[in-house]
Amino acid sequence: MNGRILGLIRHLAPRSLRKQLLATSLLILSGLLLLIGVLQYALMRDFIYSNRVDSMETQMRSVPRELYFNFLNYKTSSNGKNTGLKVPLGGGRFDGDRRPLLLDAHTTIAIYSSDGTFRDFQQETLSDSAAPRLSDAEYKDLLSRTTERATGEYKLITAEDGSEHLAVFMSLGRPENAKLLLQMSMNSGPLNDVIMQQLFVFAALSVVALLAGLFMYLPALRKTLIPLSNMGETAHIIDAGNLDVRFPVEQGQTEIDKLSLSFNGMLERLEISFHNEREAKEQMRRFAADASHELRTPLTSIHGFLEVLLRGAADNKEQLYSSLRSMHGESKRINKLVEDLLLLARMDGAPQLRVKELLLGEVIVEMQPHLLVLAGNRKVTFDISYGIRGIYDPDKIKQVILNLFHNAVQHTDPEKGIIYLALHTRGAHAELTLRDNGSGISAEHIPHIFDRFYRSDSSRTRKYGGSGLGLSITKSIVEAHRGEIKASSDPESGTTFYVTLPYLEGLAKGQ
């Protein structure tokens, strides 16, 4: 049952944010006005009652106590009938049209004696109603607590006719030490009428305020929600094809501006992600095409040699061995290409490095004989700072040096080529520099030389067996060591590669 009621409430609730805000605001305002009305009733009632009590206490204390005693001494005739004469407060006679006290028609006076006598002076005060009476126990309790001084305390008494009376009490002294309690009361109806009139005026003003708030708040709310509407329109036109669109900012609302900035940051990240995804797909497509091309060439060559052998060349020993040697070379090339692809795949995933503490200078010294053999007649200069210690994979570091050195050998003149290899520290990194005086690389190719299967010279032959993966592998190894590699080149003076690696300690520079 409760679930059905909640569902009905949700169904009836406005779906528009503007209407929800309006309804919520008016509901809160109504609640506040209701609370103010309740507080106003309580405070006004207490204020009016207190003022009336002060006035009644002043009236009670302004009359000499002897006059109240004269009221008590007034008796009817001996035959039990009223004499028809009314005694004023001074004890004298007066006619029925003259009031002995300046009291309104709703005010009554009564005296209660400690012996249980209760005397109502309705006839003497010309009151419209009889004085309300409490129980003897209540009067005795009041006798024990009430004094002749004004205290501002009052008591509400319900009369026999059901009307409510506001009563105040004062203690009176009397000869023979008899305790008397003077009670002045008045019907609270007129006071409540005044309070209800004030509440009615407040309720009418509250309704007017709610209606005015409704008509004034709607345009203000519509204007306030314009930034959200602008964001909605912007979001409607954004899709995967135009992620460069941004939400408007600085619309004059801090919260909306923060939301716009957050969405813009999300769109920027999405745009980068989509761009990277497109780049990755394009690289994968290009990689698959290049790998297929690289594999197709040796496979085509092997297939051609096999066809030649099948046509009878196998009977010729010299042609047989020549074909086998060629196929062996092509198979080695395929094997090298597959190994490079597997290495790149491992480096792209979670590279497994067998690192240990290593001296970089000693690694280069160890490789010097091999490097000099590769260089042939080229001039090689080593400038090594010894004592540079770090955490590296020795086999991978050797592969980096070998790939860069082999690249320099391929692109320099066999007789006039010069290769410079240096290792020094720069700040918090060790820097490996390899420079040659080869043909160099044009500026438009520099950003792409580390791409897979990329060749700066598309017409270059494969006589060196290169597949365009060497520099890609080198970059992956360097980045796996938390390093960086970059290149600079001039077609007239050659190419320089810079490899920076973190190190633990650098001691001395070699001569």
Side-chain angles (χ1 to χ4, degrees):
M1 183 66 179
N2 292 334
R4 295 179 61 184
I5 295 176
L6 291 175
L8 180 61
I9 293 175
R10 294 192 189 98
H11 178 72
L12 295 177
R15 311 295 293 181
S16 169
L17 176 60
R18 184 175 62 187
K19 293 181 180 179
Q20 288 181 3
L21 290 176
L22 179 62
T24 302
S25 301
L26 293 180
L27 184 62
I28 293 175
L29 182 58
S30 302
L32 291 176
L33 291 175
L34 179 61
L35 178 62
I36 292 174
V38 172
L39 293 177
Q40 183 184 19
Y41 172 78
L43 295 175
M44 185 181 300
R45 183 173 181 270
D46 184 68
F47 176 76
I48 292 178
Y49 279 14
S50 297
N51 283 345
R52 187 60 183 171
V53 166
D54 292 340
S55 176
M56 293 168 67
E57 287 184 339
T58 301
Q59 285 182 312
M60 292 171 65
R61 289 187 292 111
S62 65
V63 179
R65 285 179 292 177
E66 291 77 6
L67 299 183
Y68 293 118
F69 296 149
N70 290 336
F71 276 119
L72 287 175
N73 293 329
Y74 174 76
K75 296 181 180 180
T76 59
S77 63
S78 59
N79 59 6
K81 295 183 179 180
N82 196 307
T83 60
L85 299 177
K86 295 188 177 180
V87 180
L89 287 179
R93 298 175 180 272
F94 59 91
D95 57 20
D97 296 330
R98 181 184 175 187
R99 287 201 165 194
L101 289 176
L102 297 176
L103 303 177
D104 59 41
H106 302 289
T107 304
T108 64
I109 294 179
I111 292 180
Y112 179 82
S113 177
S114 58
D115 59 5
T117 302
F118 181 81
R119 180 77 165 83
D120 181 9
F121 301 112
Q122 178 182 5
Q123 295 181 353
E124 289 77 2
T125 58
L126 302 179
S127 177
D128 289 344
S129 60
R133 178 174 180 176
L134 298 172
S135 64
D136 291 341
E138 289 176 308
Y139 279 122
K140 290 180 180 180
D141 179 65
L142 290 171
L143 277 172
S144 63
R145 296 187 293 106
T146 307
T147 64
E148 297 182 5
R149 301 176 61 183
T151 61
E153 296 181 359
Y154 62 89
K155 193 175 185 66
L156 294 175
I157 305 175
T158 302
E160 293 181 356
D161 59 358
S163 61
E164 185 183 63
H165 292 255
L166 177 68
V168 294
F169 303 90
M170 185 176 71
S171 177
L172 294 176
R174 190 182 181 189
E176 293 87 26
N177 296 324
K179 293 184 178 180
L180 297 176
L181 184 66
L182 178 63
Q183 169 186 305
M184 180 178 284
S185 63
M186 70 168 294
N187 194 325
S188 62
L191 301 180
N192 291 330
D193 290 340
V194 174
I195 296 174
M196 295 308 297
Q197 289 177 359
Q198 295 296 325
L199 288 179
F200 177 78
V201 172
F202 175 78
L205 293 176
S206 298
V207 172
V208 173
L210 287 174
L211 293 176
L214 174 64
F215 291 105
M216 295 175 63
Y217 191 58
L218 274 175
L221 190 61
R222 186 181 297 110
K223 183 178 180 181
T224 302
L225 294 179
I226 287 178
L228 277 180
S229 301
N230 294 336
M231 291 184 64
E233 294 175 358
T234 304
H236 184 70
I237 64 175
I238 293 177
D239 54 29
N242 58 347
L243 289 175
D244 56 336
V245 178
R246 294 293 180 266
F247 289 98
V249 295
E250 297 182 359
Q251 300 186 81
Q253 296 182 10
T254 303
E255 293 77 7
I256 301 298
D257 291 343
K258 288 182 178 179
L259 182 62
S260 297
L261 290 174
S262 299
F263 276 119
N264 288 341
M266 180 187 67
L267 287 174
E268 185 174 356
R269 292 190 295 271
L270 286 175
E271 184 180 11
I272 294 174
S273 177
F274 274 90
H275 176 74
N276 292 339
E277 183 180 359
R278 285 193 294 266
E279 286 291 327
K281 288 183 178 179
E282 178 61 23
Q283 289 180 1
M284 182 62 67
R285 185 198 63 78
R286 190 168 57 247
F287 176 80
D290 293 339
S292 300
H293 180 73
E294 293 293 334
L295 289 172
R296 183 178 61 183
T297 300
L299 288 175
T300 301
S301 179
I302 293 174
H303 182 74
F305 285 121
L306 289 175
E307 284 187 345
V308 171
L309 293 177
L310 290 174
R311 289 174 183 174
D315 298 333
N316 188 325
K317 186 175 182 180
E318 183 178 348
Q319 289 184 353
L320 174 62
Y321 279 102
S322 176
S323 299
L324 291 176
R325 282 192 297 268
S326 298
M327 286 189 294
H328 181 258
E330 295 297 337
S331 66
K332 287 174 61 178
R333 183 176 169 186
I334 293 175
N335 186 60
K336 179 64 168 58
L337 178 60
V338 172
E339 288 180 354
D340 289 345
L341 291 174
L342 290 175
L343 176 59
L344 280 174
R346 288 195 296 268
M347 299 302 293
D348 287 344
Q352 300 294 327
L353 300 179
R354 298 179 181 179
V355 297
K356 65 179 181 179
E357 195 170 299
L358 192 66
L359 291 170
L360 284 179
E362 280 69 4
V363 173
I364 298 177
V365 171
E366 182 183 344
M367 295 180 66
Q368 278 186 2
H370 186 199
L371 297 178
L372 292 174
V373 171
L374 286 176
N377 295 329
R378 300 168 180 84
K379 181 181 178 181
V380 181
T381 302
F382 294 94
D383 182 10
I384 308 300
S385 292
Y386 299 96
I388 299 178
R389 187 186 305 273
I391 304 297
Y392 312 109
D393 185 329
D395 294 333
K396 296 297 188 291
I397 293 297
K398 289 179 181 179
Q399 188 172 1
V400 168
I401 298 172
L402 187 60
N403 287 349
L404 294 177
F405 196 88
H406 191 265
N407 185 75
V409 169
Q410 288 182 352
H411 296 85
T412 54
D413 186 87
E415 301 296 332
K416 299 179 181 180
I418 299 175
I419 300 175
Y420 172 78
L421 180 60
L423 176 65
H424 299 297
T425 59
R426 292 187 182 275
H429 293 83
E431 184 177 77
L432 176 67
T433 305
L434 197 144
R435 183 170 61 246
D436 63 63
N437 65 341
S439 57
I441 306 171
S442 59
E444 64 269 17
H445 294 297
I446 289 292
H448 306 287
I449 59 175
F450 296 106
D451 294 347
R452 299 171 185 182
F453 296 112
Y454 186 81
R455 292 186 178 87
S456 59
D457 186 358
S458 57
S459 64
R460 185 179 300 275
T461 64
R462 295 181 175 83
K463 64 179 180 179
Y464 299 110
S467 61
L469 294 177
L471 291 180
S472 297
I473 293 174
T474 301
K475 181 181 179 182
S476 298
I477 294 174
V478 171
E479 291 178 347
H481 284 83
R482 293 176 290 112
E484 182 181 2
I485 183 172
K486 58 184 179 179
S488 64
S489 182
D490 185 347
E492 297 181 359
S493 59
T495 304
T496 303
F497 286 91
Y498 303 93
V499 177
T500 57
L501 295 170
Y503 74 97
L504 299 177
E505 183 181 16
L507 298 179
K509 180 177 179 180
Q511 301 296 326

